[in-house]
Amino acid sequence: MNPADPAAAVCPAPLPETERVLLGHGSGGRLSADLITRLLVPALGAAAPGGPLEDAAVLAVGECELAISTDAYVVDPLFFPGGDIGALAVHGTVNDLAMRAAMPVALSIAYVVEEGLPLDVLRRVATAVGAAAHAAGVPVVTGDTKVVGRGAADRLFVVSTGLGRRLPGPAPTAAGARPGDVILLSGPIGCHGVTVLSTREGLGFEADVASDTRPLHRLVATMLTAAGDGVHALRDPTRGGLASALNEIAAASGVGMEIEERALPVPEPVRAACELLGLDPAYVANEGCLVAFVAPGHADTVLTAMRAHPEGAGAVRIGVVTDGGPVVVRTAMGSRRVLDLLAGEQLPRIC
């Protein structure tokens, strides 16, 4: 290196980490997508069926169509306003089944418990699992419990698997969005992520906002009854928030989207917290809302049906599907900005 050369004084761009797992690989954003598509799926080889990455897999068993989904929950803290890790495990798996138009039939729950966890904490979580499953109308039929040494886990992780029976008609799919489709959102965004972050860090916002965690399968059944095959795609915007969900559908369907920023329902406490913390509400996790891509001729009917249902009372139109290009947000000032996948980890340990 020549010290007299001005270029020698320029700091090189940091090299991306390619040899180790980062916290951002669990973000639900670009790093997560890269980990899945470049490492995990190729490693399966011929055992991977191919096709778009869905919230749940649909399987033909004789004349019956079933759906199966599995998820692991590592949320910190275990308990927060509006929910806890137990209810979250039930609702998240039920909702993943619902996004493929499947009604839950059975759940499996596994606990990974760190040595030293108070039994009262485990009892409280297990009780919450039972209460949430009963309210959703789905039995917990099997499970497992493993105990690891102190420091080998963070208190308690919950793994849930769900089996569902597909409703009649075409299954909504991540690859199903079509140009002209109306994009509907079932309710406010950002409540879950802000609540968990605020509770974890003691920020005080949880006094004004609570997690939206809840099951959505009955709302989905109402929507499909109203529109039949007019509902082309469904996604619950959990990790990575609404922005990641929109980008995942856009990529799988080969379409673009135009979103109206003013139409996004962001509760004022969530907006205030995001402004203070430098967060974009579109990337903040949710656990009780869904985004739907609906044929324009069915949009009004579906929206009316959603608003008549408790889980969809705050449903709104937020945009349209376009022929191609990125997911674009039309701002309140009339300008446009690209709403891309989250590059790294905005809020870790959120679900």
Side-chain angles (χ1 to χ4, degrees):
M1 182 177 70
N2 181 4
D5 182 1
V10 177
C11 292
L15 295 176
E17 175 62 71
T18 59
E19 300 301 324
R20 295 176 176 82
V21 174
L22 303 175
L23 197 58
H25 282 114
S27 67
R30 189 175 303 281
L31 286 177
S32 293
D34 287 347
L35 184 69
I36 293 168
T37 58
R38 297 182 183 181
L39 191 156
L40 297 178
V41 172
L44 294 175
L53 299 177
E54 305 278 7
D55 282 331
V58 173
L59 309 172
V61 181
E63 297 182 357
C64 181
E65 279 194 322
L66 301 177
I68 186 170
S69 181
T70 192
D71 210 339
Y73 293 84
V74 298
V75 64
D76 177 27
L78 299 177
F79 307 98
F80 44 86
D84 54 76
I85 193 172
L88 204 61
V90 172
H91 297 161
T93 299
V94 165
N95 292 347
D96 283 346
L97 294 172
M99 297 307 106
R100 300 304 311 280
M103 298 298 102
V105 172
L107 290 174
S108 169
I109 299 290
Y111 302 102
V112 179
V113 187
E114 182 184 9
E115 179 189 13
L117 182 80
L119 285 175
D120 282 348
V121 172
L122 182 58
R123 182 180 296 107
R124 184 177 170 189
V125 171
T127 300
V129 166
H134 178 73
V138 54
V140 179
V141 297
T142 188
D144 191 23
T145 305
K146 292 291 189 294
V147 178
V148 298
R150 294 177 187 267
D154 188 359
R155 294 169 294 166
L156 176 66
F157 300 150
V158 181
V159 180
S160 57
T161 298
L163 186 69
R165 184 186 298 273
R166 274 263 303 114
L167 294 172
T173 171
R178 307 170 190 174
D181 279 356
V182 177
I183 306 172
L184 305 178
L185 183 65
S186 68
I189 60 173
C191 295
H192 175 74
V194 165
T195 299
V196 171
L197 176 65
S198 181
T199 305
R200 178 192 305 163
E201 305 298 335
L203 302 179
F205 295 113
E206 72 273 16
D208 300 312
V209 64
S211 171
D212 62 342
T213 180
R214 55 186 171 179
L216 298 172
H217 58 299
R218 297 183 181 102
L219 173 63
V220 169
T222 298
M223 295 167 63
L224 295 176
T225 298
D229 59 1
V231 179
H232 296 154
L234 293 169
R235 184 59 58 100
D236 56 333
T238 53
R239 290 181 307 165
L242 178 64
S244 290
L246 295 176
N247 275 280
E248 289 163 1
I249 298 295
S253 301
V255 297
M257 299 176 192
E258 185 166 299
I259 306 300
E260 293 291 337
E261 187 173 56
R262 286 178 294 187
L264 296 179
V266 182
E268 190 53 41
V270 171
R271 189 184 304 278
C274 288
E275 289 178 355
L276 182 65
L277 299 171
L279 304 176
D280 185 336
Y283 293 98
V284 177
N286 314 274
E287 290 293 346
C289 70
L290 62 82
V291 59
F293 301 80
V294 182
H298 293 277
D300 288 340
T301 300
V302 173
L303 187 59
T304 299
M306 292 172 73
R307 288 173 173 171
H309 198 280
E311 282 76 41
V316 293
R317 295 175 181 245
I318 63 169
V320 295
V321 176
T322 59
D323 286 325
V327 177
V328 175
V329 173
R330 186 195 293 269
T331 70
M333 302 299 293
S335 61
R336 287 178 170 83
R337 63 181 175 92
V338 174
L339 191 66
D340 205 350
L341 276 174
L342 189 66
E345 179 67 273
Q346 182 173 236
L347 300 176
R349 305 284 302 278
I350 214 75
C351 64

